[in-house]
Amino acid sequence: MIGSRFISSISKINNMKAIRVSQPGPPDVLVHRIDAPIPQISENQLLIKLSHAGVNPVDTYLRAGCRGYNPPALPYTPGKDGAGIVASVGSAVNRFRVGDRVYVYWGDFANGTYAGFTVQRKMAQDIYLTESRLSKEPLWV
C-alpha cells in the first residue's frame, strides 16, 4: 500500500504531462503537453497514476486513422496499455483500493495511458492487480 502522504499530495496537483492527438495522421501529430488537466472520476471509475505506458499497435492505427480504426473524439490522449497506482476510486468501486498497483490492458479509448494519469471504468475487465495483492495460493488447492 502506498503511503497516505503520496495519495494526499495527488489532490493538490491540477495538471499533468500528456501526449495529445488533435488530428489523425503520422507520428508528428502527437503533441507533448505539460499542462493537461488531470481527469475527474465519476462514481464508477478509478484514477490511476501511471508509471509505465506500453505502445500497442492499435494505438498507431487509431492515431493514423487507418481503415477500420476510427479514433476517439478529438482531441484525445492515446495509449491502451499501462501500469501504475490507483490514486482515487469512485464511490461505486469496490474491486480496487487507493494505493493498489494495477496494470491496464486495452484501456478506455478516450483516456489513454500516454499521460501522468488515466481514468478507467471500474467494470473494465482489463484492469488487473499486480502481484502485491494477488493470492500466492495455487488455484487447485
Side-chain angles (χ1 to χ4, degrees):
M1 191 68 137
I2 304 303
S4 60
R5 183 174 53 163
F6 169 78
I7 299 303
S8 65
S9 69
I10 290 173
S11 64
K12 298 174 187 164
I13 301 171
N14 296 320
N15 295 319
M16 64 178 178
K17 294 179 183 179
I19 302 294
R20 300 288 287 169
V21 174
S22 297
Q23 64 185 36
D28 60 348
V29 301
L30 298 168
V31 176
H32 180 246
R33 292 194 43 200
I34 59 170
D35 62 348
I38 294 176
Q40 300 298 307
I41 62 169
S42 68
E43 66 181 16
N44 65 345
Q45 295 176 324
L46 55 134
L47 181 68
I48 300 170
K49 168 112 173 73
L50 294 161
S51 58
H52 298 81
V55 179
N56 188 315
V58 172
D59 297 331
T60 62
Y61 308 152
L62 289 167
R63 177 207 18 93
C66 290
R67 196 163 124 172
Y69 292 91
N70 295 319
L74 297 169
Y76 74 97
T77 300
K80 303 286 144 268
D81 306 325
I85 299 166
V86 175
S88 182
V89 295
S91 60
V93 176
N94 55 21
R95 182 175 159 208
F96 300 98
R97 302 186 299 235
V98 170
D100 281 346
R101 294 184 183 277
V102 295
Y103 68 95
V104 177
Y105 170 75
W106 200 255
D108 189 315
F109 283 104
N111 296 292
T113 58
Y114 293 10
F117 293 86
T118 187
V119 170
Q120 299 294 316
R121 298 175 307 276
K122 75 160 183 165
M123 298 307 287
Q125 296 174 346
D126 302 322
I127 302 173
Y128 302 94
L129 292 167
T130 60
E131 191 173 319
S132 65
R133 249 189 65 205
L134 296 176
S135 172
K136 306 261 189 293
E137 297 295 322
L139 296 175
W140 57 86
V141 172

